[in-house]
Amino acid sequence: MIKTAQDMIRALRRDTYCGVILYQGPSLIDGAPIVVIANRIVSDSDNVKTGAMVQTFILRQDMRPLDAARLGYDFSICGHCPHRPTNAGSCYVNIGRSVESVFGAYKRGRYARPHIDYDTSILPELFADSVFRLGSYGDPAAAPFRVWAHATARVKARNGYTHQWRDFPAFAALCMASVDSEAEATEARAGGWRTFRVRAATAPLMAGAEIACPASDEAGKRTTCADCRACGGMSAKARVSIAIIAHGATARRFAAAA
């Protein structure tokens, strides 16, 4: 068993593992078996918008992500998100590429298992001074808050979003409330959240309450998420809320539903 962060970093660099499993157990949303995986720990992300961040994936343990999304079983890891494929499908994540790849590596045993391959006490040091993305795919609230709080105890910054903000108030410390209307934004902020609102291109920013995402096309891509660090809930230095115009291959579906 790996018992130091330094030994885990060496194992990752030798490609013994391509990441670590942070959690395996029941979804807090519906009790189905899920797994939380962290990768890009010693290598940079190839996502030009986010920049170099530790990436995490919340997946069903028992089925391919594409099947889960097609059949609606992704509720276990996405909850009430209106952008799920079975809810008109405006999610911008390319499930068939990175998410399926992560799941395949998980099934091949390429991720270090907690309490078996490594001691979880090393996680704060392993991720120390990194910029950590909670939920590159999936909703962070599907997994216990304590898992995320422990893993990110010493990070430089966090980036995370949850549509489960009505049910999991503790996550306001780590994540933005994902909202899809001005009414939802107002409700979430009244409950102690900072918000991240997806809006149609014709919808204005909420005066005095929101700014355009600095990494977005509409803001001129002035920075990356890794450098901006505004989307870390109440733990971030920023206090204003963020909004972004629906983007990606499915953005037209959001516009049609708005």
Side-chain angles (χ1 to χ4, degrees), residues 31 57 92 120 131 135 145 151 184 206 209 226 248:
F57 296 80
Y92 62 85
T120 58
V131 182
F145 178 85
E184 284 188 348
M206 297 176 70

Side-chain angles (χ1 to χ4, degrees), residues 38-238:
N39 64 17
R40 297 288 182 178
I41 300 168
V42 296
S43 60
D44 290 345
S45 169
D46 56 4
N47 186 319
V48 295
K49 179 180 181 294
T50 65
M53 305 173 78
V54 174
Q55 305 289 324
T56 60
F57 296 80
I58 304 135
L59 309 172
R60 289 280 302 234
Q61 289 187 45
D62 55 347
M63 65 183 69
R64 291 179 54 190
L66 280 172
D67 290 338
R70 177 175 56 84
L71 298 170
Y73 293 117
D74 60 343
F75 181 79
S76 307
I77 54 101
C78 293
H80 299 286
C81 177
H83 306 291
R84 291 168 54 216
T86 52
N87 291 335
S90 57
C91 179
Y92 62 85
V93 178
N94 187 334
I95 300 171
R97 190 170 60 182
S98 62
V99 183
E100 280 280 321
S101 177
V102 170
F103 181 76
Y106 164 66
K107 285 299 187 181
R108 295 194 303 274
R110 296 283 287 121
Y111 290 98
R113 299 164 295 175
H115 313 298
I116 298 173
D117 299 318
Y118 79 96
D119 186 328
T120 58
S121 67
I122 72 173
L123 290 176
E125 184 177 358
L126 180 65
F127 299 124
D129 297 321
S130 67
V131 182
F132 189 103
R133 188 175 185 186
L134 288 76
S136 308
Y137 177 69
D139 194 300
F145 178 85
R146 59 175 171 77
V147 171
W148 299 109
H150 176 63
T152 65
R154 294 176 54 191
V155 299
K156 187 183 301 180
R158 304 173 183 88
N159 176 284
Y161 313 89
T162 178
H163 270 99
Q164 319 315 307
W165 47 271
R166 291 186 178 94
D167 300 321
F168 296 91
F171 277 85
L174 308 180
C175 298
M176 310 291 281
S178 286
V179 297
D180 298 280
S181 69
E182 291 191 6
E184 284 188 348
T186 299
E187 179 188 351
R189 285 198 286 271
W193 292 82
R194 294 177 58 238
T195 61
F196 187 91
R197 182 170 66 99
V198 177
R199 62 190 176 103
T202 55
L205 293 169
M206 297 176 70
E210 293 176 331
I211 63 169
C213 168
S216 66
D217 286 339
E218 60 266 29
K221 296 181 179 178
R222 298 195 307 271
T223 186
T224 64
C225 298
D227 289 332
C228 175
R229 305 174 192 172
C231 287
M234 298 306 293
S235 68
K237 291 182 180 179

